[in-house]
Amino acid sequence: GIQVEQSPPDLILQEGANSTLRCNFSDSVNNLQWFHQNPWGQLINLFYIPSGTKQNGRLSATTVATERYSLLYISSSQTTDSGVYFCAGGYGNKLVFGAGTILRVKS
Amino acid sequence: DAGVIQSPRHEVTEMGQEVTLRCKPISGHNSLFWYRQTMMRGLELLIYFNNNVPIDDSGMPEDRFSAKMPNASFSTLKIQPSEPRDSAVYFCASSLGIDEKLFFGSGTQLSVL
């Protein structure tokens, strides 16, 4: 099956800093999504992005499908950005989740 | 919209007991998923349904686990008998259809003693 590798595994930022999270896939995918799990455990969908670039406020994501990776950019980080960021990819409805990047933003 | 609704939020039970988790997907969504999250294995897809029909249950750990979707607005995940290793957070999620954005419920924290 598809293997999903996320980096870095954890990250500590000072409030206001920018960061880039990466997701690599062992095989091509046609369904790729990014999620944020907040400290209360809620999973929030950030992007559905099998290819191309999308932006939503301070967050943006880029997927290069031919090279099997995706990037999530967080600009001007805030303490509320803390939590775990997951990417998930696969075909159709069968998504495989990465192990996540634990982000901690310090004030 | 109320989002995906799961119940109960927390469940504590003893080994050997039957556990039933419930899920109401977002209205109009045709695909429903059950995931399990543990520290050791991360987020795993257990089973998913399209139009109330189970499509892929290859992630269901063993015969003690079963899932049903009797109608478009309700699904259950049952564990019988439960074991301590079943302790995890169980998430239900739904999407409009195949290959669409996934929306998660708040999860059920299951503890089997």
Side-chain angles (χ1 to χ4, degrees):
Chain A
I2 291 172
Q3 306 295 316
V4 181
E5 184 180 318
Q6 290 190 243
S7 60
D10 51 79
L11 188 59
I12 300 176
L13 296 176
Q14 199 63 39
E15 199 169 26
N18 303 326
S19 63
T20 301
L21 281 55
R22 185 178 177 105
C23 186
N24 290 330
F25 295 88
S26 60
D27 203 348
S28 57
V29 298
N30 72 349
N31 184 347
L32 195 160
Q33 305 189 33
W34 283 95
F35 298 86
H36 174 223
Q37 188 166 37
N38 64 25
W40 296 271
Q42 180 71 27
L43 279 158
I44 306 297
N45 194 304
L46 299 175
F47 294 103
Y48 169 82
I49 186 164
S51 64
T53 297
K54 289 187 178 179
Q55 180 151 10
N56 184 3
R58 296 181 296 103
L59 302 181
S60 65
T62 295
T63 296
V64 183
T66 53
E67 298 190 19
R68 305 198 299 269
Y69 73 88
S70 184
L71 302 173
L72 178 70
Y73 306 96
I74 304 174
S75 64
S76 304
S77 57
Q78 300 176 358
T79 55
T80 51
D81 295 332
S82 296
V84 185
Y85 289 80
F86 292 100
C87 66
Y91 269 85
N93 275 352
K94 197 159 184 176
L95 288 179
V96 175
F97 277 73
T101 292
I102 301 172
L103 175 64
R104 184 178 157 207
V105 181
K106 298 167 63 176
S107 59
Chain B
D1 200 313
V4 177
I5 300 173
Q6 291 187 246
S7 64
R9 286 300 309 276
H10 304 275
E11 176 82 30
V12 180
T13 190
E14 293 189 345
M15 183 173 63
Q17 296 298 305
E18 177 179 297
V19 175
T20 299
L21 311 182
R22 295 171 176 79
C23 175
K24 176 179 168 56
I26 294 172
S27 178
H29 281 195
N30 295 318
S31 296
L32 182 140
F33 308 77
W34 284 101
Y35 281 86
R36 178 172 70 175
Q37 185 176 34
T38 61
M39 288 295 292
M40 291 295 294
R41 301 175 67 89
L43 274 158
E44 304 174 277
L45 177 64
L46 300 178
I47 184 172
Y48 75 88
F49 298 81
N50 279 340
N51 296 317
N52 312 340
V53 176
I55 302 300
D56 189 330
D57 65 354
S58 59
M60 296 285 260
E62 46 198 275
D63 292 345
R64 298 184 297 107
F65 286 69
S66 62
K68 293 182 180 179
M69 192 165 185
N71 58 62
S73 59
F74 184 66
S75 177
T76 59
L77 178 68
K78 186 177 294 187
I79 308 173
Q80 166 65 18
S82 57
E83 297 183 3
R85 60 193 167 116
D86 301 331
S87 298
V89 180
Y90 290 81
F91 286 100
C92 177
S94 70
S95 67
L96 273 172
I98 296 172
D99 201 8
E100 296 276 354
K101 202 169 181 178
L102 200 60
F103 295 88
F104 280 85
S106 298
T108 295
Q109 175 79 57
L110 174 65
S111 297
V112 183
L113 308 177

